[in-house]
Amino acid sequence: MPRILLIDDDEHLAAPLATYFARFDCALDSATRPSEGLAKLRSVRYDAAILDVMLPEMDGFALCRQIRSESDIPIVMLTARGEVMDRVVGLELGADDYLPKPFEPRELVARVQTILRRQRARPAEPSGASAQRHVFAGLAIDLDRREVLRQGVRVELTGTEFELLALLAAEPGKVFSRDDILNRLRGHEADLYTRAVDIVVSRLRKKLEPLDCIKTLRNAGYTLAVARGEGA
């Protein structure tokens, strides 16, 4: 049973949400303060975290940044305003998805389930390459272990970053448009998240430096341009 942590200072939200999540075989724990939530994340293994943007002690963006410095756990952010800029900022900090308040509990469950399925999913097997491991010059991607080595050094990626890299690596040289990527990796509200792809690509490029293997084709999309080889 997946275990999810909700960090939200609305004390009346956690109990009914926990009951609702249980209907879908998910256990939902809660914390009303960031410090309490961080302590739980450090002591208990959770499969995903849900963060409210408006929190005491620190806002949800600062909390997301702190969690990302310690873990690649999938993160869904809740924002009362649902503004595009809030979504962009959260993506830049490493969030995997958003849901504006007020929301339907079923939609929140669906978002979490989508992220968890994406974490477990295997990319389609490419022709002429191992379904478990992609090896390029300076870069190795282990799909089973969800591990990336850059010049022999392990790179910590979020779930979305890993899935994006795995998608590009499955068909190196193929150009994936932003809509292609959104539809393959997120699966909903693609029209709202066009800029999200650019942000995730930017984060991924930075983590893969000094390799320069993700190329932008103007008005077309992104491709993995790197030679196959002995990798990391």
Side-chain angles (χ1 to χ4, degrees):
M1 177 182 290
R3 193 166 188 178
I4 317 301
L5 179 64
L6 169 70
I7 305 178
D8 193 310
D9 62 344
D10 184 350
E11 298 179 354
H12 303 292
L13 183 63
L17 271 183
T19 300
Y20 195 84
F21 268 72
R23 292 170 52 186
F24 297 89
D25 297 321
C26 291
L28 184 72
D29 293 345
S30 63
T32 57
R33 304 181 72 83
S35 57
E36 178 189 2
L38 286 170
K40 288 188 174 185
L41 286 170
R42 290 163 180 161
S43 61
V44 179
R45 185 185 180 283
Y46 288 98
D47 296 287
I50 303 168
L51 314 181
D52 190 19
V53 169
M54 304 301 293
L55 289 168
E57 299 180 343
M58 67 177 76
D59 63 28
F61 300 130
L63 179 58
C64 180
R65 183 186 298 109
Q66 180 62 43
I67 293 172
R68 270 291 162 264
S69 71
E70 303 177 18
S71 170
D72 64 353
I73 185 174
I75 294 174
V76 177
M77 297 196 73
L78 305 176
T79 168
R81 294 168 295 182
E83 294 180 354
V84 172
M85 186 52 63
D86 284 350
R87 300 175 184 183
V88 169
V89 170
L91 278 170
E92 289 173 339
L93 296 175
D96 294 275
D97 206 349
Y98 294 85
L99 193 60
K101 286 185 173 182
F103 57 84
E104 290 293 331
R106 183 66 186 94
E107 184 173 5
L108 179 57
V109 171
R111 298 291 182 98
V112 172
Q113 289 176 327
T114 296
I115 287 175
L116 295 179
R117 282 197 302 269
R118 199 161 65 221
Q119 287 287 90
R120 295 189 296 264
R122 296 287 187 266
E125 182 175 352
S127 58
S130 167
Q132 288 75 42
R133 185 176 172 86
H134 298 299
V135 180
F136 303 97
L139 181 67
I141 306 163
D142 191 313
L143 303 179
D144 286 332
R145 296 181 179 179
R146 299 184 67 83
E147 181 179 77
V148 174
L149 297 179
R150 179 208 60 227
Q151 298 178 338
V153 178
R154 182 173 178 175
V155 182
E156 296 294 336
L157 302 180
T158 68
T160 302
E161 291 163 357
F162 181 87
E163 294 300 339
L164 173 59
L165 181 59
L167 175 65
L168 298 176
E171 298 182 76
K174 176 179 177 178
V175 179
F176 291 87
S177 71
R178 291 172 178 82
D179 285 344
D180 289 337
I181 294 170
L182 286 165
N183 291 332
R184 294 279 290 274
L185 300 188
R186 191 170 298 280
H188 56 262
E189 294 191 317
D191 58 326
L192 296 180
Y193 291 91
T194 300
R195 187 178 170 189
V197 173
D198 301 328
I199 295 169
V200 177
V201 168
S202 177
R203 290 195 334 236
L204 184 56
R205 279 175 169 156
K206 180 172 289 188
K207 291 184 178 182
L208 293 179
E209 289 177 350
L211 299 181
D212 181 21
C213 53
I214 300 177
K215 302 298 184 181
T216 302
L217 280 78
R218 190 171 183 179
N219 299 323
Y222 298 100
T223 186
L224 187 71
V226 59
R228 292 196 181 276
E230 296 304 317

